[in-house]
Amino acid sequence: MPSENPSIFPNRKRKPCVEAEPTTDSLPAPTTKRRKPEKQHRHRPPSWFWDNLSRLWLTPRALREFDRRTVWPAAPAPPELTGKENIDLVQLKRFARHGGPSLCNLRGYSGPENAAPSSRTMNSSQSGSNKRAKTASSKARKTNAYDRTFEQHLIDHGIYPDGYDHGDDHDYFSVYPDNWEEINEMLAQPRRSLSQSRFPLEAFQKFKKTNKEALNEDNVMQKAVPIIVGTADIPSRSNVLFGNLEKLTDGSLTMAKPDFYDGSRPAELDQRIREKLGPYIVPSTNTTAPCLPNFFLEGKGPDGSGIVCRQQILYDGALGARGIHELRSYIGQETLYDKRAYTIASCYHGASATVELNTIHPTPSTNPNRNYEFRMTQLGAWAMNGNPDTFRQGATALRNARDWAKQRREEFIAAANRKVPDTEDSSLVSSTQSFVSPSSNEPIHPGSETSSDELTLDSGKFASSSRRTPGGVRTNPLPKVSISRSKKASQGNKRPVDDD
């Protein structure tokens, strides 16, 4: 027979009751154990996120928001009975015999929030079914912040994905950057490290095996992606939360956290520029992380969504393109809107082993509420597991894109440093040594067993960070780029430096 004591819960051992000895000390009264408040959803946007959408898509997050807004309001608490002197027992018994009061007004009443848990016991089958139901409901709540409503929010704020239809009177090819063909020509430049002698058939077969064994996104980023990107000496980080940047829209989006990005060493850019443009070019509160990012890569495992991956690189790329735009605005306003792209966003899907490259560039906005808009344009896509030739083409394009993005950063940094008044010799000294250690933002390390590429087998880190002295000063002198050379490099088609 189940116990009637409400403090006894099913499937728990009875604790021995020990009577407390009376003491003369004033002890606080025992308090009942409070239930832990329910965790707030990680990616729950504020209410104005939904109110400002021009088009509302039927997504799990939208349904949860609908349920939240349409929940039945709690009924007011009944008034307390002050006394029994005014109760007519004869009328009360007659009222009870005829069915008692109507309960229609109590429909939808959820009960008091601090109600004690029920003491009713249950058998093992009921307990198991309830646990399964709770597990299923908790899994259903874990949805991603990237869905159609996320993309619609970006579109409403002037951040357009590739192929977005602006209307019948809008020329589709007018959204392409003017240097789109130049970038594609640069991507096709051959690399010695991916020649048939350096990357034979056996290396390709080993990549296919490695990619097949990558069961989730972390395995893809740690094992398959390092074989594709190579080991160029470019400052990079992975899984860094962009918590230091100014909000891209209205502040209702979750912070970006790219799987991988390339940037420049903070010591290369004048400290006064970093302080002035920090909310646009310094992505992380950990100031040792690379700044001015303009190359991004998002990866997905076999079960990952390609649509979500494209939404992520659209968000990442817009943040990077905005930073480049702000730095170019600091340099000068003459060619600010030159309709050229200086930011590349890429994605890799482990299921199809497909690499996709895109450009992100700003354009003047026709909306009076914002100064510029961002447009993403696809450069190309390659199936890395088709044959050795398609792998070489895709890996060549990705590695060339990283070198090209690095060249653009170096040109803009050199031009921006020349705009700063030369008042002190230590203007290029990094102040990052006084901040926290970058232990949580270490780059990805490729395993030598994942590829027989000579570059991958070399000792070193995947996209390793800078070579700095303990004081944080760059050991090599900064390259001096003239204005004419900078313009010529941005307009011409330079052969990228190979990573041999």
Side-chain angles (χ1 to χ4, degrees), residues 153-335:
H153 179 85
L154 294 180
I155 293 173
D156 293 342
H157 288 81
I159 305 170
Y160 303 105
D162 176 56
Y164 179 75
D165 187 7
H166 293 267
D168 297 336
D169 56 344
H170 194 93
D171 185 9
Y172 174 75
F173 294 101
S174 63
V175 301
Y176 275 58
D178 287 348
N179 58 343
W180 184 83
E181 293 182 352
E182 296 178 9
I183 298 176
N184 271 286
E185 292 176 0
M186 176 274 305
L187 296 179
Q189 294 292 332
R191 300 180 73 92
R192 293 187 298 272
S193 60
L194 292 170
S195 61
Q196 293 185 3
S197 60
R198 301 288 298 274
F199 193 84
L201 176 63
E202 292 75 13
F204 170 72
Q205 293 173 344
K206 194 167 186 177
F207 164 77
K208 288 191 64 174
K209 182 176 182 295
T210 301
N211 186 76
K212 186 69 175 178
E213 294 174 349
L215 301 180
N216 52 45
E217 182 176 322
D218 291 338
N219 294 149
V220 168
M221 293 301 300
Q222 294 172 3
K223 296 181 179 180
V225 170
I227 304 176
I228 302 174
V229 301
T231 56
D233 185 18
I234 300 177
S236 60
R237 287 293 186 273
S238 60
N239 294 321
V240 174
L241 184 66
F242 281 12
N244 192 55
L245 295 181
E246 184 72 20
K247 305 300 182 183
L248 186 62
T249 58
D250 59 359
S252 61
L253 295 181
T254 181
M255 295 180 185
K257 190 177 181 181
D259 290 335
F260 177 83
Y261 81 93
D262 286 344
S264 296
R265 300 175 179 90
E268 296 178 359
L269 185 61
D270 192 282
Q271 181 179 351
R272 288 163 288 182
I273 302 177
R274 283 184 279 127
E275 292 175 352
K276 183 175 182 179
L277 303 179
Y280 302 98
I281 64 175
V282 181
S284 175
T285 54
N286 185 345
T287 54
T288 58
C291 65
L292 196 64
N294 69 334
F295 178 88
F296 303 88
L297 190 149
E298 294 283 355
K300 290 297 174 186
D303 298 331
S305 171
I307 297 177
V308 171
C309 194
R310 293 185 186 93
Q311 293 171 353
Q312 288 177 319
I313 63 174
L314 175 62
Y315 188 25
D316 300 341
L319 291 170
R322 184 185 64 174
I324 295 291
H325 181 82
E326 293 294 333
L327 185 61
R328 296 184 68 233
S329 177
Y330 176 85
I331 297 172
Q333 300 285 336
E334 296 81 9
T335 60

Side-chain angles (χ1 to χ4, degrees), residues 333-378:
Q333 300 285 336
E334 296 81 9
T335 60
L336 189 58
Y337 291 103
D338 55 358
K339 204 182 174 184
R340 298 174 68 87
Y342 303 103
T343 303
I344 291 181
S346 59
C347 61
Y348 177 75
H349 199 283
S352 58
T354 304
V355 167
E356 180 181 323
L357 295 179
N358 302 268
T359 63
I360 309 284
H361 72 285
T363 58
S365 177
T366 57
N367 191 322
N369 297 325
R370 52 179 177 262
N371 297 326
Y372 43 75
E373 300 175 342
F374 298 97
R375 305 181 187 278
M376 183 169 75
T377 309
Q378 188 181 54

